[in-house]
Each structure stands twice: as structure tokens, then as C-alpha cells.
Amino acid sequence: MTRQFLRCFSTAVRLHAKVVPNNLKGKSKSSQEWLTRQLSDPYVEKAKIMNYRCRSAFKLLEIDDKYKIMKPGDVVIDCGAAPGSWTQIAATRTNASGAKSHLPKGTVVSVDVLQFHPVAGAITLGGMDFTLPTAQEKIRSILAGKQINCVLSDMAPNATGVRLLDQENITRFCYSVLKFAVSMAAANSNLVVKVWDNAEVPKLEADMLRFYDNVKRIKPRSSRSNSSEFFLLGRGFKGTEKTGN
Ligand SMILES: C[S@@+](CC[C@H](N)C(=O)[O-])C[C@H]1O[C@@H](n2cnc3c(N)ncnc32)[C@H](O)[C@@H]1O
């Protein structure tokens, strides 16, 4: 057996085996559950192998592979971007670093309330609450009149433990992102927002449909099946004039 085969084999075993952590002593029940889940999650391992900062990368990869929401030269805003795996993908797919000199160079601006390490090619704004006018003004000034081709939001509030409140908070985030996107979107642009399923989602979908040709619910394979998370994808921004606003 060659060394390469052995390496692939051991990676495959690690990707499928249920790993039991050996350092759980003294940790709370929720930390123990989190550690166990992380260690037996194939996407966590895959993210390490592919140099993505976290497993969320695979959610955006799946969405973009299927719906082609970003292309070289695009302007993309990533809201709730830390630690930065969506930004890594957006920077690559838009050619934000200009690595492919034969293709147009894109622009990626990423915002998070937490500080996070810069991502090659992207403009990262850490320590900024996206929902505040100051953060949105900062993005506007960076773009200097350029319109946005794609707005991404994987933003999630800190869970309070009160389901209704958490759902209300994430829905508030979605509206903040939608309002911002609509104010700066290029014709035919796209919008992805994360939601946690709740009674307000149909209204949010209807509101997105006022501005986008098509709105779809997406539950990527890498999104945990026991999570109420899914994404709303709005495609084909149609402008604000026809909406009566
Ligand atoms: C699920 S994580 C995003 C992961 C990211 N998409 C990635 O691939 O690395 C959700 C993020 O939303 C951020 N967040 C929560 N509230 C925010 C706010 N008001 N403004 C900006 N970011 C916020 C959190 O700090 C957290 O980093």
C-alpha cells in the first residue's frame, strides 16, 4: 500500500468515525455535547483539511454551487462574517484578491460584531454591529457609489435560551439586512439570509418577494438536521420602483 493511499484511508476513517473526546471531565453538559458533536462531525474535519475557518463554509459552497449567486468582479457584503469562512469563499468566487488576472476583480466587505482575522482580498470590519447606521454608513463609504451584487447574512444573535425571543432577534437581523440590501442592490442581484424557523418567516418571504423575482427556502446538507436554521435566497433584485415604496 502506498503512503498516499494510507493517508486517504485514515482521512476517510476520521471523516466517518464517531470520535469520543477524552477531555470531558469538569466540563458542563452543554460543553460536553458540543465537543462530542464537533469531533464526530465530518464537516468540521473537512473544513480543517480544506483550510476553511469553520464548517459553515459548506453551507455557502452548496448554495453558490447550485444557484451561482457570486461571480468574478462582483461586490459582495458578508454580514455576521466571523470567523470568516463565508468571506473566504466570497473572496475566491469574486476574485477579490485579483489572483486570476484574466478575470474581473471583485470587492468583498465583511462585518462582524466580533473582531476577526483579515481574509486575503476582503475588507474586514470587526467590532461592528451591522444593524447600526454607523456600520452601514462605513460600508457605503467604502463602496463609494458601487452597487452590491450579493448580500450574505449568516448573522445569528446570541441565544438567550428563550426561543421566541431568539427567533424575534434573528428576524430583526434579516429585516435590517433586507433594508440595507434593497438600498444598495444592483439590478438582478442576490440576497441570502439565515433564519431560524418561526411564524414570522412567511411574512419575511413575502416581503423579500416584493423586491426579488424569486425567493427560495434552502436547507443545505451541512446544516445540522436538528437545527431550525435554514436560508432564504432572494434572486433577481427587481428594484424598488414597482413596489409602490
Ligand atoms: C454563525 S456565525 C457566522 C459564521 C460565518 N458565516 C463564517 O462562515 O465564518 C454568526 C456571526 O454573527 C455575528 N453577529 C451577531 N450579531 C451581529 C451583529 N449585530 N452585527 C454583526 N455581526 C453579528 C456573530 O458575532 C457571529 O460571528
Side-chain angles (χ1 to χ4, degrees):
M1 268 184 281
T2 65
R3 199 179 291 176
Q4 194 183 9
F5 171 81
L6 280 173
R7 208 177 307 129
C8 290
F9 180 73
S10 77
T11 301
V13 168
R14 271 186 289 133
L15 288 180
H16 292 99
K18 184 166 172 63
V19 186
V20 181
N22 55 11
N23 55 346
L24 297 180
K25 222 172 149 194
K27 295 205 160 54
S28 68
K29 188 165 180 279
S30 61
S31 303
Q32 292 187 11
E33 282 168 1
W34 184 86
L35 260 174
T36 308
R37 205 174 53 210
Q38 285 293 102
L39 283 173
S40 46
D41 181 339
Y43 290 105
V44 171
E45 187 68 24
K46 242 171 119 176
K48 275 190 218 148
I49 293 167
M50 295 171 75
N51 262 329
Y52 289 125
R53 293 186 183 181
C54 65
R55 72 185 297 293
S56 309
F58 298 100
K59 301 174 195 173
L60 182 60
L61 281 174
E62 188 178 327
I63 294 171
D64 191 48
D65 285 346
K66 184 155 182 194
Y67 297 102
K68 311 278 179 250
I69 56 174
M70 295 177 277
K71 61 179 186 316
D74 275 359
V75 175
V76 174
I77 308 300
D78 184 6
C79 312
S85 74
W86 280 31
T87 302
Q88 290 177 290
I89 292 160
T92 308
R93 302 238 159 156
T94 61
N95 190 34
S97 65
K100 293 183 180 140
S101 54
H102 59 293
L103 294 175
K105 188 171 179 293
T107 303
V108 175
V109 183
S110 300
V111 187
D112 202 286
V113 76
L114 302 176
Q115 296 293 350
F116 61 117
H117 291 290
V119 174
I123 298 163
T124 47
L125 306 174
M128 277 204 179
D129 179 343
F130 173 80
T131 62
L132 296 181
T134 42
Q136 299 184 12
E137 272 316 309
K138 176 83 188 166
I139 300 172
R140 270 182 237 280
S141 74
I142 289 170
L143 294 185
K146 277 193 224 164
Q147 289 186 315
I148 301 170
N149 303 103
C150 183
V151 177
L152 306 170
S153 173
D154 192 21
M155 220 169 12
N158 283 333
T160 62
V162 182
R163 220 154 70 123
L164 269 178
L165 199 56
D166 293 340
Q167 291 168 342
E168 206 174 277
N169 285 339
I170 202 165
T171 308
R172 190 171 52 82
F173 280 179
C174 293
Y175 274 102
S176 171
V177 174
L178 173 61
K179 209 168 147 200
F180 172 80
V182 159
S183 73
M184 297 199 60
N188 275 319
S189 59
N190 303 305
L191 168 68
V192 176
V193 287
K194 170 156 85 183
V195 287
W196 292 326
D197 199 13
N198 71 80
E200 294 301 310
V201 173
K203 175 164 183 335
L204 175 61
E205 279 172 302
D207 285 332
M208 282 175 66
L209 261 175
R210 292 163 59 201
F211 303 105
Y212 294 86
D213 277 337
N214 180 285
V215 175
K216 243 184 154 33
R217 288 183 183 209
I218 302 175
K219 175 83 176 168
R221 279 188 303 271
S222 50
S223 174
R224 293 191 167 102
S225 54
N226 61 356
S227 156
S228 69
E229 154 192 285
F230 60 89
F231 296 86
L232 292 179
L233 166 63
R235 280 180 300 165
F237 178 66
K238 53 191 179 188
T240 51
E241 283 164 15
K242 287 177 259 169
T243 65
N245 277 347

